[in-house]
Amino acid sequence: MTEPVAATDPSQPPHPHENAPGKARLIALSDGIYAIAMTLLVINVAVPANLPAAAFHKALNDALPSLGAFALSFTLIAGFWRDHRRILTTLPVETTVVTRLVLLGLGLVALLPFPTGLLAEYASQPDAVALYASAMAAIHAVHATLLLLTQRQVHPSPKSPAAAARRRFTAQLASSVLVFGLSIPLAFIDAEAAMWFWITLVPAHYVIGHHRRRRLTQA
């Protein structure tokens, strides 16, 4: 997925605000929702019991799309959880805006088993692919917005390596929003091509990370 947000001062604990009461509640709530969402994904993966051999093999083959959708969504949700926790633990102040954005992101994560199930059953349907891409783009957008709104709070000095790492993180999230966003109209032209288009996230994140690291080295 994306790179971690670096700590502001290597001599200090990596997350000095993690134990703040309000933040601790948000983190606990987030962990619970992510765990439930990841668990619910597997509900769509099932093979009926007591089938004869021929029917069993057909049912197993029919379950492969559900397994693929489960693997994709589990990987993405795991990345969301990692990114979300690192964003929260670096925040010095819990504000109303941050709390509302966090809750919005959690609501979208809790919804993910629904578009995942649609993608597994109706991957050839543009609406199913577009809905899944919309959910992914929205969650990435929430995380990017959280980083942008709190950049100065976490890293007052924009020239510090930690601030540069956070900007790199934000740029990678923005690229995810762009890729999933572009795949929405593409889905109505060719649903399969839209899903293959998601793979461009891998080189996009690598190029952004490599380019910004090279700029820091040359500076």
Side-chain angles (χ1 to χ4, degrees):
M1 290 291 292
T2 48
E3 296 187 359
V5 180
T8 54
D9 185 353
S11 64
Q12 298 297 322
H15 305 304
H17 308 287
E18 185 171 2
N19 294 324
K23 185 175 301 178
R25 287 194 294 269
L26 276 180
I27 291 173
L29 175 64
S30 301
D31 288 348
I33 290 178
Y34 273 95
I36 293 170
M38 295 167 87
T39 303
L40 289 177
L41 292 175
V42 79
I43 290 178
N44 296 314
V45 183
V47 173
N50 303 318
L51 293 176
F56 166 75
H57 287 100
K58 183 181 184 304
L60 188 60
N61 186 65
D62 291 343
L64 291 179
S66 295
L67 282 171
F70 164 78
L72 174 63
S73 290
F74 188 92
T75 301
L76 289 169
I77 292 178
F80 286 144
W81 170 77
R82 183 195 65 185
D83 296 343
H84 184 82
R85 190 174 180 87
R86 283 168 175 161
I87 292 170
L88 283 183
T89 54
T90 56
L91 295 180
V93 179
E94 177 200 1
T95 65
T96 301
V97 173
V98 167
T99 300
R100 288 176 178 173
L101 278 172
V102 168
L103 292 175
L104 173 60
L106 293 177
L108 292 168
V109 168
L111 184 65
L112 276 182
F114 172 62
T116 298
L118 286 181
L119 188 69
E121 296 294 334
Y122 302 100
S124 61
Q125 298 298 317
D127 291 345
V129 177
L131 180 60
Y132 187 87
S134 298
M136 292 298 172
I139 297 172
H140 280 104
V142 169
H143 286 179
T145 303
L146 279 170
L147 286 171
L148 288 171
L149 287 178
T150 58
Q151 175 74 18
R152 291 185 179 180
Q153 296 177 19
V154 177
H155 301 298
S157 174
K159 295 183 179 180
S160 68
R166 191 180 177 90
R167 287 194 297 272
R168 181 167 64 246
F169 184 22
T170 306
Q172 289 173 325
L173 289 173
S175 71
S176 297
V177 176
L178 180 62
V179 168
F180 280 113
L182 289 175
S183 73
I184 296 172
L186 180 57
F188 292 96
I189 301 172
D190 189 327
E192 184 177 354
M195 290 186 286
W196 281 109
F197 185 64
W198 298 339
I199 297 177
T200 60
L201 283 172
V202 177
H205 284 188
Y206 174 79
V207 169
I208 291 171
H210 179 73
H211 175 68
R212 289 185 174 269
R213 278 194 297 267
R214 186 172 60 183
R215 288 181 60 184
L216 284 175
T217 303
Q218 295 173 349

